[in-house]
Amino acid sequence: MTPDATPEDLREALTLSAETLPGTWGEPIPLTTQPQLPPFPSHVLPVWLREFVDAVAEETQTPADLAGTLALAVLATAAGGRVIVQLRGRWREPTNLFTVVALPPGNRKSAVFAALTSPLRAAEKLLVSSAAGRIAEAEVTAKMAREAADKAATQAAKAEGMERDGLTAEAIALAQAADSLEVPNEPRLLADDSTPETVTTLMSEQGGRLSVMSAEGGIFDIIAGRYSGTPNMEVFLKGHAGDWLRVDRRTRAENIESPALTMGLAVQPSVLKDIGQNRVMDGRGLLARFLYALPESLVGYRKANPDQVPEPVAEAYERTVTALTLSLADWTDPAVLRLTPEADEVLGTYNERVEPQLRARGGRLGHVTEWASKLVGATARIAGLLHLGEHLGEHLENGYTQPISADTMNAAIELGDYFAAHALTVFDLMGADATLARARSLLSVIEDNGWESVTRRDLFAKVSRSEFPTVADLEPTVALLEEHGYLRSETPPRTGKRGRPPAPRYVIHPTVREAKA
């Protein structure tokens, strides 16, 4: 109420005051360090796989998330590179996956790994045994062809005149024939903590198909270049997407038309936190390609004498995974899985639900857009794997000829939602959500000072300059705290028409003021 205030000024001031009058405080929404995450929905898996996952989890007294996530990687190892899912238009998704489960030490990760990957290793041995005869025959044939070419070249070198020309042409033809003979490589499904160069070579030898399965996190150190000094993740990026890969080496060039790399890893949570700080890995988008699971450890709550995996359940798992792997091993052109109209509609609805969550302002997945933008595609990949697991039992051909159903797509979407919830917490652990981390820091400052209300300037004077270099950097963090009910912004009415508008004050929730009392 200044002498030069007009009636319009008064009405504006009263309106602002009415808008900012504090009402009844509600209970603040916690800024939890780790929200309650959903358990792995093993009930959506095919019966034979669900029974084995649950039984292994019971026998090893580990969260079902570990066996369940690895089970998806096992299916992707069996089918990756041999099956694709046809969506709309040119949109196709391969069926290879990158998965990682994070659990602290002492959670029997190795035991679960051994149980889940056992049929893959058995299938690999069968493939090696079956190929041994063909490889030996090809090696002998190639050796004889090379010796014949060398002998012809020697004879041509000794000849003269017209005879030399004829023998030279014959030697050239024999050399070309020898070079055209290929000796098949020994079949390989699995690799461990291999270097990127080794992975590239193995994929080239295996027609682009390979799986890196490991119960340790050493592969991340190798990719980051901790031992070589140079990060090398090209094969992992293109191996996930299925993009053409060419690597020129000193002795040869390796071309992989349609790479399909699967990764199934189990690591300690600290490994995820460390790799989250690696700007090269994050910047290239490698971390955005993984499906993450961060289950709660059962250490301290485990049974001393749990039920063992029933023999029929173990046999069904071994038989089905082996059959799936062997049935696809010799495929060169991939099988194409299509969607029923109902499944296509379900996926479209899911896409519409996810898309608004990617918005930078207000989107639930806005701070992990690079990961979340791949969520619908990853869900389609999972649907293809569930479809194969459902149909490739006693009648292997059924899975290739029948389209993916709406029920299978809904099951995949439930898994997609599970991985989305876990990814949010994992990326928070990696420090991806900077606003949330700053909100916790700012809330701690407010609690320490016990303010009833505080100006923006006074609040800025108390915070760390490394987190909040300017006053403007406070705004998104304050907005988040206001959304969670920890404070309210009040803008004092202007006392005149000239000068800057009044800076806002923040009224603090009573429970925050009393937290350190």
Side-chain angles (χ1 to χ4, degrees):
M1 300 299 293
T2 57
D4 59 344
T6 65
E8 288 76 14
D9 293 333
L10 182 59
R11 280 193 292 271
E12 179 183 2
L14 290 173
T15 301
L16 287 170
S17 298
E19 290 177 351
T20 57
L21 282 174
T24 304
W25 288 99
E27 191 68 24
I29 302 172
L31 293 171
T32 53
T33 55
Q34 181 174 329
Q36 186 69 35
L37 294 175
F40 186 85
S42 58
H43 63 271
V44 304
L45 300 175
V47 175
W48 63 270
L49 189 56
R50 178 182 72 238
E51 290 178 348
F52 187 72
V53 164
D54 290 341
V56 168
E58 168 64 20
E59 180 180 302
T60 59
Q61 289 294 285
T62 54
D65 313 60
L66 177 57
T69 303
L70 287 175
L72 293 177
V74 168
L75 288 178
T77 301
R82 303 297 187 268
V83 179
I84 58 175
V85 179
Q86 172 66 52
L87 301 173
R88 301 186 187 96
R90 297 181 183 273
W91 184 13
R92 289 184 167 192
E93 289 288 344
T95 49
N96 55 303
L97 296 175
F98 283 14
T99 68
V100 58
V101 185
L103 274 170
N107 273 276
R108 300 167 180 166
K109 296 189 288 289
S110 296
V112 177
F113 244 90
L116 269 294
T117 59
S118 174
L120 292 177
R121 301 189 186 282
E124 188 177 75
K125 288 181 180 179
L126 290 172
L127 290 171
V128 169
S129 176
S130 174
R134 296 195 306 273
I135 294 174
E137 181 180 351
E139 287 176 341
V140 171
T141 303
K143 182 180 179 181
M144 293 175 62
R146 175 50 57 190
E147 289 175 349
D150 291 342
K151 184 177 179 180
T154 301
Q155 291 176 344
K158 295 178 180 179
E160 295 180 359
M162 295 290 291
E163 183 183 10
R164 181 187 181 97
D165 292 341
L167 290 175
T168 299
E170 181 182 352
I172 292 172
L174 289 172
Q176 291 175 338
D179 289 340
S180 67
L181 295 175
E182 292 187 4
V183 177
N185 293 289
E186 185 175 88
R188 185 81 176 268
L189 294 175
L190 301 172
D192 205 327
D193 290 342
S194 303
T195 65
E197 293 76 19
T198 301
V199 170
T200 303
T201 297
L202 288 173
M203 289 179 66
S204 178
E205 293 174 352
Q206 303 302 319
R209 175 192 195 189
L210 189 70
S211 180
V212 176
M213 304 283 283
S214 176
E216 303 293 339
I219 186 66
F220 287 117
D221 291 332
I222 295 172
I223 295 171
R226 179 167 296 181
Y227 307 113
S228 65
T230 305
N232 185 355
M233 56 192 75
E234 200 70 17
V235 65
F236 299 97
L237 298 174
K238 293 188 174 181
H240 178 273
D243 295 334
W244 177 70
L245 176 64
R246 175 172 180 170
V247 179
D248 293 315
R249 307 209 182 279
R250 291 181 180 178
T251 58
R252 68 189 185 282
E254 293 175 336
N255 291 287
I256 308 175
E257 292 292 335
S258 300
L261 179 64
T262 287
M263 297 184 73
L265 309 176
V267 303
Q268 297 180 22
S270 59
V271 171
L272 294 182
K273 187 174 182 179
D274 290 342
I275 64 174
Q277 308 306 314
N278 189 312
R279 295 300 96 190
V280 175
M281 295 180 72
D282 190 22
R284 294 294 305 278
L286 180 63
L287 303 183
R289 285 161 166 77
F290 281 90
L291 298 175
Y292 297 94
L294 189 65
E296 187 174 351
S297 172
L298 298 182
V299 173
Y301 300 90
R302 296 178 292 193
K303 300 177 186 176
N305 296 297
D307 295 334
Q308 303 299 294
V309 177
E311 196 61 32
V313 171
E315 289 177 354
Y317 175 75
E318 184 94 17
R319 181 177 63 253
T320 309
V321 171
T322 303
L324 173 59
T325 306
L326 297 179
S327 70
L328 292 167
D330 295 329
W331 285 57
T332 52
D333 295 330
V336 179
L337 300 180
R338 303 184 184 277
L339 309 183
T340 63
E342 295 78 12
D344 182 68
E345 183 178 354
V346 168
L347 185 64
T349 301
Y350 181 58
N351 200 354
E352 292 174 356
R353 171 160 68 89
V354 169
E355 187 64 25
Q357 299 180 41
L358 308 183
R359 294 170 184 166
R361 295 180 62 87
R364 171 175 172 257
L365 303 170
H367 62 289
V368 292
T369 309
E370 191 169 3
W371 181 91
S373 63
K374 297 176 176 60
L375 177 57
V376 176
T379 300
R381 297 186 184 201
I382 293 172
L385 296 174
L386 295 181
H387 174 82
L388 292 177
E390 189 69 45
H391 292 281
L392 292 184
E394 299 300 327
H395 306 287
L396 298 179
E397 71 281 357
N398 289 348
Y400 311 136
T401 59
Q402 294 185 16
I404 298 172
S405 69
D407 288 342
T408 299
M409 187 60 70
N410 279 316
I413 287 171
E414 190 167 345
L415 283 165
D417 288 339
Y418 162 85
F419 285 118
H422 283 248
L424 285 172
T425 299
V426 168
F427 279 105
D428 183 22
L429 179 68
M430 293 179 181
D433 193 351
T435 302
L436 183 58
R438 290 172 183 165
R440 296 189 184 109
S441 176
L442 186 60
L443 183 60
S444 179
V445 170
I446 294 172
E447 290 175 346
D448 289 341
N449 285 272
W451 292 305
E452 290 188 14
S453 67
V454 60
T455 65
R456 183 168 59 186
R457 178 179 297 179
D458 290 341
L459 180 59
F460 180 67
K462 292 289 186 179
V463 298
S464 167
R465 289 296 172 273
S466 63
E467 290 186 291
F468 303 95
T470 67
V471 174
D473 294 315
L474 278 174
E475 293 181 2
T477 308
V478 168
L480 183 61
L481 288 178
E482 188 166 12
E483 288 175 5
H484 282 72
Y486 287 99
L487 54 81
R488 290 179 180 146
S489 297
E490 289 190 354
T491 303
R494 295 185 63 165
T495 56
K497 290 187 176 180
R498 297 179 181 178
R500 296 181 179 179
R505 292 185 66 88
Y506 307 120
V507 181
I508 312 302
H509 193 290
T511 60
V512 177
R513 302 198 304 264
E514 298 163 2
K516 296 292 179 71

